[in-house]
């Protein structure tokens, strides 16, 4: 039996600018899904170090533990560019 880590990606806060747009989420350079404002994307991944990216934003390094859940959130900076931040539970 293989134990996986879970990554939960929360979409950006709901606003008129973000409601209609889906944000692609990449893990280790491969697109794994997309998330919309106010929604969540849950991914089962191998434990260990990964890089997560929202749209064309900067990569966020995360370490997933076996059987544990890690939360990240998509946000926009002052210039409107997407990036990920670790989200507290």
């Amino acid at each position: 039996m293989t134990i996986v880590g879970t990554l939960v990606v929360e979409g950006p806060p709901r606003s008129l600018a973000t409601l209609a747009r889906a944000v692609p989420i990449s893990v280790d350079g491969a697109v794994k899904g997309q998330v919309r404002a106010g929604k969540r994307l849950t991914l089962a991944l191998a434990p260990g170090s990964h890089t997560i990216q929202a749209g064309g934003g900067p990569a966020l390094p995360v370490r997933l533990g076996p059987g544990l859940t890690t939360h990240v959130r998509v946000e926009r900076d002052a210039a409107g560019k997407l990036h990920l931040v670790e989200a507290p539970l």
Side-chain angles (χ1 to χ4, degrees), residues 6-83:
T6 302
L7 177 69
V8 176
V9 182
E10 298 176 16
R14 294 172 60 105
S15 73
L16 291 177
T18 60
L19 280 177
R21 185 178 304 167
V23 178
I25 302 298
S26 300
V27 178
D28 300 328
V31 175
K32 296 293 185 179
Q34 57 187 13
V35 65
R36 293 187 182 278
K39 302 292 183 183
R40 290 182 177 181
L41 171 66
T42 302
L43 300 169
L45 301 169
S49 297
H50 297 279
T51 55
I52 315 302
Q53 196 171 15
L60 175 71
V62 296
R63 183 155 181 82
L64 300 178
L68 300 177
T69 301
T70 301
H71 292 259
V72 296
R73 181 176 56 240
V74 178
E75 291 189 352
R76 290 189 181 273
D77 62 16
K81 296 190 180 208
L82 296 171
H83 65 278

